[in-house]
Amino acid sequence: MTDASKLYAELITSIGEDINRDGLQKTPERAAKAFSFLTQGYQQSLEDIVNGAVFDSSNDEMVVVKDIEFYSLCEHHMLPFVGKAHVAYLPQGKVLGLSKIARITDMYARRLQIQENMTKQIADAIQEVTGAAGVGVVLEAQHFCMMMRGVQKQHSSTVTSMMLGEFRENSRTRQEFLQLIK
């Protein structure tokens, strides 16, 4: 039994459950494995994710990848928040492999997070690897900490955005991005 699975066994026992009953015998190991998967972003780096997939390009028009689904854990309650990321950038001589945008999103999502920080982390990472003239990121998510406990609002969602460079400075660029992700 790993340290994490021992902790899950203690947690299950602490609520009065019998860790030896049929349905729970392997739960600590399964839960530890799931938690490790859900937090694998801590073992990843931006350099490893990008893996050299930045290419020379004369394109200077907006590149948008939208509706990237993500699953994260709220750092306050360790409950899921799930949603979609929309990411855009204005290339300046370099473009990033499209799948890398989704992988960068996943790397930050697979950590204990708050949505506000995750939005900024994704934008900063795209800016760092591409040297873009601007980056825009919008995250839309539903937070289980608001749905399952506390205020229990089932249909609420949270939208966060981060605009860098031309997306912040030029309202037409920002508006084009926001129109494209609708």
Side-chain angles (χ1 to χ4, degrees):
M1 206 181 246
T2 66
D3 287 343
S5 60
K6 288 177 188 172
L7 293 171
Y8 275 107
E10 285 181 38
L11 183 64
I12 293 167
T13 302
S14 77
I15 62 169
E17 266 291 359
D18 176 7
I19 199 69
N20 294 311
R21 86 170 164 83
D22 190 36
L24 291 177
Q25 288 177 6
K26 295 189 183 214
T27 297
E29 290 84 5
R30 287 190 298 263
K33 188 174 181 180
F35 189 70
S36 178
F37 175 79
L38 294 173
T39 58
Q40 68 184 336
Y42 290 112
Q43 279 69 57
Q44 298 174 318
S45 71
L46 186 55
E47 185 178 295
D48 290 339
I49 292 293
V50 173
N51 195 26
V54 179
F55 308 103
D56 291 334
S57 175
S58 61
N59 177 44
D60 62 358
E61 294 293 324
M62 190 179 302
V63 175
V64 180
V65 180
K66 67 181 202 170
D67 296 327
I68 303 166
E69 71 271 4
F70 68 84
Y71 308 88
S72 193
L73 291 175
C74 158
E75 68 184 33
H76 299 136
H77 304 100
M78 291 178 49
L79 289 172
F81 66 96
V82 300
K84 297 183 290 187
H86 313 290
V87 180
Y89 69 99
L90 291 169
Q92 277 191 144
K94 300 282 184 190
V95 293
L96 178 62
L98 296 175
S99 70
K100 302 306 182 180
I101 295 171
R103 291 181 190 282
I104 289 168
T105 300
D106 283 345
M107 178 180 73
Y108 289 112
R110 297 294 188 194
R111 299 175 181 188
L112 299 180
Q113 275 292 8
I114 62 172
Q115 183 175 330
E116 298 89 336
N117 289 350
M118 186 175 144
T119 308
K120 183 177 184 333
Q121 291 165 345
I122 294 166
D124 289 343
I126 299 296
Q127 178 65 49
E128 180 181 330
V129 298
T130 64
V135 176
V137 175
V138 173
L139 301 186
E140 306 172 48
Q142 291 188 295
H143 292 252
F144 283 49
C145 58
M146 285 186 58
M147 296 167 66
M148 296 175 65
R149 55 161 304 282
V151 296
Q152 298 181 32
K153 300 302 176 206
Q154 304 307 307
H155 303 288
S156 66
S157 63
T158 301
V159 178
T160 53
S161 69
M162 176 59 64
M163 305 293 168
L164 303 176
E166 284 295 310
F167 285 84
R168 179 180 294 254
E169 296 160 12
N170 186 326
S171 62
R172 288 194 333 220
T173 301
R174 182 174 47 255
Q175 197 56 39
E176 179 183 348
F177 169 50
L178 296 175
Q179 282 291 349
L180 288 170
I181 65 173
K182 279 189 176 184

